[in-house]
Amino acid sequence: MDGRSYFSGALSPENLSRIASNPREIPGILGRTRREFLRDAAGLALGSSLLGASPFLHGEAVAKKRKVIVVTFGGGARDQETFAPEGQENIPNLLHELIPQSSFFTQVTNRGILGHYVATASLATGVYETLNNFSAVPPEHPTVFEYFRKDLHRPSSDAWVVAPSNGFNRIGESQYRSYGPGLGAKVILPKHLLSAATSGGATDYDHLLRDNYETPLYTPQIGGGEVELQQLENILKLSVDDFTKHARTASSPDELSLYIAKRLMQQEAPSLLWITMHDIDIAHSGAYSLYVDAIKRTDRLCAELWKAVQSEPEYAGNTTMFILPDFGRDSDEDPGGNGFQHHRTGDAVSRTTWMMAMGAGVRPGVVYDSPVQSIDLVPTLGSIMGFSAGVSQGKPIQELL
Ligand SMILES: [Zn+2]
């Protein structure tokens, strides 16, 4: 870490002085600054100049074929390690391949609790959930998977979550009255699969099995090893041997997750696939180089996933993919934090993140800096896929409709 401050690295002197006089402007300034980085690096247009007829095709036949993939990062990365000039070398794939195909939202605010499980649950329900981040409880409000399956009468095979940690095993469905059990997504936990497949005993896989970077002492034990092994063989059509052999080549938990996600796409072809990545959160260890390595890996894995979409007949041409962090990380300036390592201060930098949408029905190469909230994702997916997210507190993002 070179000690460069967030604001001096990322903002102009004029913007710095505006922040000093009014801290409430920080999210807007961060968004506009992000847009400038993207315009310079990827040559993107400004959204407002391109608003016109919706590129989304409507109609029943189209809706039936449409697939949506949501990729969230548990533990975001700051602009100075990504979009700012000094960070751009870490994200060549996002910057030069994916963002030019995307509608990019520079100002996505998370007003909820900054813990990964509770924040991901909030993204999935469209309500700022208040559940205990470190307990294996279901979200309180209906998830996007329940809205999708109930409204559109879809089978359980059509909605899947690939999640990083045992603590996420309840994220697929709420216990909300009239939704809940039996209507949600199936959840697959690649690490749990791996520990079931190796009976928890093989030390070769320790780097893939660590469950939580934020609180290493939190390693929730969940049952169901049998179910996991059946998922492997019956659903993914993967023998325990082939799986463990492949796992040996995976450099990180997210790489293992991507492998599982690709198998799911081939075998089940879910219309709604939600993948939560978590490697970047290794920042909590305090090792800046590991944090940057994870950003580079995540950049590569996102491009690999998009490539897989293009090569799967079920997905090519009719898939919309969303990529967004659950929230950001602390700035170097806030005395309450320790820079990139954590997200404890709740400051504007750790709350103001971004989202990209690409693929079917999305205007490519457009940057929007209108303010969006994390809870707007679910109602937006509802408008795109044709279900109603009735209990969500967000609103559909007009630029994507
Ligand atoms: Zn974290």
Side-chain angles (χ1 to χ4, degrees):
M1 187 66 192
D2 63 5
R4 184 165 18 201
S5 79
Y6 180 85
F7 290 125
S8 61
L11 296 180
S12 65
E14 304 84 79
N15 280 337
L16 275 169
S17 61
R18 288 182 65 186
I19 283 174
S21 60
N22 189 358
R24 292 178 66 180
E25 287 192 36
I26 291 175
I29 292 173
L30 285 173
R32 287 194 293 280
T33 307
R34 221 166 252 159
R35 185 191 72 208
E36 282 158 30
F37 293 149
L38 293 173
R39 188 190 55 206
D40 294 344
L44 302 184
L46 236 185
S48 53
S49 64
L50 287 174
L51 271 181
S54 166
F56 278 101
L57 302 170
H58 298 280
E60 220 163 290
V62 176
K64 269 197 179 122
K65 281 200 69 185
R66 176 173 298 283
K67 309 264 192 203
V68 166
I69 299 178
V70 177
V71 180
T72 69
F73 304 158
R78 307 179 306 177
D79 281 9
Q80 69 261 52
E81 288 94 21
T82 53
F83 302 115
E86 67 269 30
Q88 291 174 2
E89 62 180 8
N90 300 324
I91 55 163
N93 293 289
L94 286 185
L95 212 52
H96 301 301
E97 197 189 329
L98 301 188
I99 290 174
Q101 300 181 51
S102 301
S103 281
F104 190 101
F105 294 82
T106 62
Q107 196 192 145
V108 182
T109 308
N110 182 326
R111 297 193 185 152
I113 301 170
L114 304 188
H116 299 298
Y117 177 51
V118 64
T120 308
S122 304
L123 282 174
T125 61
V127 178
Y128 289 121
E129 298 287 327
T130 55
L131 53 84
N132 178 351
N133 189 54
F134 295 110
S135 66
V137 294
E140 192 182 334
H141 303 91
T143 61
V144 63
F145 317 108
E146 293 155 70
Y147 292 131
F148 164 71
R149 284 194 51 213
K150 190 175 180 190
D151 269 17
L152 303 180
H153 309 289
R154 298 297 180 94
S156 67
S157 58
D158 215 19
W160 276 90
V161 178
V162 180
S165 148
N166 288 354
F168 280 61
N169 68 318
R170 304 293 300 275
I171 198 156
E173 63 192 14
S174 68
Q175 286 179 329
Y176 197 86
R177 186 169 40 86
S178 77
Y179 289 94
L183 282 170
K186 292 198 206 172
V187 179
I188 199 159
L189 304 165
K191 289 182 204 180
H192 197 233
L193 271 182
L194 184 61
S195 74
T198 59
S199 310
T203 51
D204 301 7
Y205 301 103
D206 283 353
H207 67 295
L208 299 179
L209 292 174
R210 186 164 170 194
D211 202 58
N212 185 297
Y213 297 116
E214 192 167 10
T215 308
L217 295 177
Y218 173 69
T219 49
Q221 294 305 315
I222 55 171
E226 287 298 306
V227 176
E228 306 291 321
L229 292 178
Q230 280 168 17
Q231 282 186 334
L232 203 56
E233 287 173 0
N234 299 341
I235 297 167
L236 299 176
K237 304 282 189 283
L238 199 54
S239 73
V240 169
D241 259 13
D242 285 349
F243 175 58
T244 52
K245 218 181 280 172
H246 181 88
R248 220 177 277 274
T249 70
S251 62
S252 79
D254 287 350
E255 207 164 277
L256 189 67
S257 287
L258 185 70
Y259 175 67
I260 294 297
K262 288 201 262 188
R263 292 295 295 202
L264 266 178
M265 289 165 66
Q266 287 160 3
Q267 302 299 333
E268 294 279 274
S271 299
L272 181 54
L273 174 60
W274 184 292
I275 305 166
T276 292
M277 300 216 187
H278 210 63
D279 283 357
I280 294 174
D281 214 39
I282 200 163
H284 288 296
S285 72
Y288 188 71
S289 63
L290 294 181
Y291 160 61
V292 171
D293 284 351
I295 292 170
K296 292 177 177 169
R297 189 182 314 113
T298 305
D299 172 73
R300 171 172 60 80
L301 295 177
C302 286
E304 251 175 60
L305 176 61
W306 189 235
K307 209 168 149 194
V309 166
Q310 310 315 313
S311 65
E312 288 298 330
E314 289 277 339
Y315 287 87
N318 55 321
T319 300
T320 313
M321 184 160 95
F322 294 79
I323 302 178
L324 70 164
D326 53 4
F327 47 81
R329 312 198 77 82
D330 293 337
S331 81
D332 294 335
E333 295 300 276
D334 194 318
N338 192 22
F340 75 95
Q341 189 173 0
H342 300 302
H343 35 80
R344 290 178 180 162
T345 64
D347 70 356
V349 176
S350 61
R351 294 189 175 279
T352 311
T353 174
W354 50 270
M355 178 172 80
M356 50 201 279
M358 73 189 82
V362 175
R363 296 175 186 88
V366 191
V367 179
Y368 298 102
D369 48 10
S370 41
V372 169
Q373 281 198 57
S374 300
I375 54 173
D376 296 338
L377 175 67
V378 168
T380 303
L381 297 179
S383 297
I384 291 173
M385 299 184 91
F387 58 81
S388 160
V391 187
S392 161
Q393 291 167 357
K395 50 186 195 310
I397 300 170
Q398 292 305 314
E399 289 86 346
L400 288 172
L401 307 183

